[in-house]
Amino acid sequence: MTPSSNGTAALARASQDLYVAVRRDAPLVQCLTNFVSMNIAANVLLAMGASPAMVHASDEAPEFARLAGAVVINIGTLSAPWLDSMLLTAASAHEAGVAWVLDPVAHHATAFRRDAVRRLMALQPAIVRGNASEIIALAGGQSAGKGVDARDAVAQAEQSAREIAIAHRTVVAVTGETDYVTDGQRSVHITGGSALMPLVTATGCALSALVGAFAAVAKDDAYTAAVAALSCFAIAGERAGALAQGPGSFAWRFLDALAGLEAESLTRESPLR
């Protein structure tokens, strides 16, 4: 079910409220993320006013999860020790009632990754954020993806996203040229962004981290949290892309655009469709 224009307007207002809460509360977001994305994910969180913590060692990560506002788990540079920590941390977060976000990077590429994501999904992430190929594969379909690259259109992944959301009682955010968010009942499309975003390393991973920041202040409304985070990315990406001359200048302009985003932008420039 796609929201009516009135429903979309209400969702934009709710997203704006969450934006204000992130700026006000500076939520602590624990990221167990890949080596490639650590820097940009931390910078994106800081630009939005959140507090990043790149705590991933099994000796402390599960304990730290109980202190965090949200936990984000990204399997981009997966290894056996990291997987052990991810499983323990996700279980700890779930037990403590701390929302956690899963980014199943290229989970369909190898047996090791497929098993890792199967075990992580059993620990009930509040939100799953992935590209179309990842989401299609996660639902058991055949995707055209190779490694971390998406070779499928977001529209092709919408049914898969709804199936995952219903089966796992989670929110699924499929990101691409036009994003799609669903909890299995409600759904919305998010437009905007820039064609330069895929040319900057780990922008998708950083988006998953930002989803965690909004989940931390959303009070169990994971659907609106995902929509709000993706909306901020879409608006900031569009602004940065309009001024950038290439991926290098886009990267710093994008951080500036996130930092300079006004709360009213979420309703005045709402990308929700």
Side-chain angles (χ1 to χ4, degrees):
M1 176 176 68
T2 302
S4 66
S5 58
N6 288 337
T8 303
L11 185 56
R13 289 193 296 272
S15 297
Q16 179 175 305
D17 290 343
L18 289 186
Y19 169 93
V20 171
V22 170
R23 293 287 194 190
R24 181 192 65 226
D25 298 344
L28 178 62
V29 183
Q30 180 184 2
C31 300
L32 289 78
T33 191
N34 66 74
F35 293 116
V36 179
S37 72
M38 285 184 184
N39 184 261
I40 187 173
N43 283 338
V44 161
L45 288 169
L46 289 170
M48 190 54 64
S51 178
M54 304 306 180
V55 179
H56 65 264
S58 60
D59 306 277
E60 61 172 349
E63 180 183 357
F64 194 92
R66 296 175 178 273
L67 306 174
V71 173
V72 178
I73 293 178
N74 175 308
I75 69 164
T77 51
L78 193 62
S79 67
W82 274 50
L83 177 56
D84 290 343
S85 183
M86 289 172 176
L87 292 167
L88 291 170
T89 303
S92 180
H94 179 65
E95 183 179 320
V98 174
W100 74 276
V101 178
L102 176 62
D103 188 334
V105 180
H107 71 90
H108 49 296
T110 67
F112 178 51
R113 288 175 178 272
R114 289 191 293 272
D115 181 65
V117 166
R118 179 188 61 78
R119 296 167 70 186
L120 285 164
M121 287 295 294
L123 296 171
Q124 298 181 272
I127 302 168
V128 178
R129 201 291 311 169
N131 65 39
S133 296
E134 290 162 347
I135 298 304
I136 290 169
L138 191 58
Q142 288 292 116
S143 81
K146 292 185 178 181
V148 299
D149 295 327
R151 300 292 182 92
D152 300 282
V154 170
Q156 294 175 283
E158 292 182 8
Q159 180 59 34
S160 295
R162 289 189 293 270
E163 291 173 1
I164 294 165
I166 292 168
H168 294 274
R169 298 182 182 179
T170 189
V171 170
V172 180
V174 192
T175 54
E177 186 173 350
T178 296
D179 302 332
Y180 177 76
V181 179
T182 184
D183 63 1
Q185 300 298 320
R186 299 169 291 175
S187 63
V188 68
H189 292 94
I190 301 168
T191 61
S194 168
L196 291 170
M197 296 179 90
L199 303 180
V200 178
T201 300
T203 50
C205 299
L207 174 54
S208 296
L210 190 62
V211 169
F214 280 87
V217 300
K219 297 181 180 178
D220 298 323
D221 188 359
Y223 178 71
T224 304
V227 171
L230 270 61
S231 296
C232 289
F233 243 60
I235 295 169
E238 188 166 358
R239 290 182 180 180
L243 299 172
Q245 295 178 313
S249 59
F250 175 84
W252 66 262
R253 289 185 188 279
F254 178 63
L255 284 178
D256 283 355
L258 276 177
L261 201 63
E262 314 88 355
E264 295 77 16
S265 302
L266 276 296
T267 49
R268 186 180 64 239
E269 302 172 48
S270 175
L272 306 184
R273 302 290 182 266

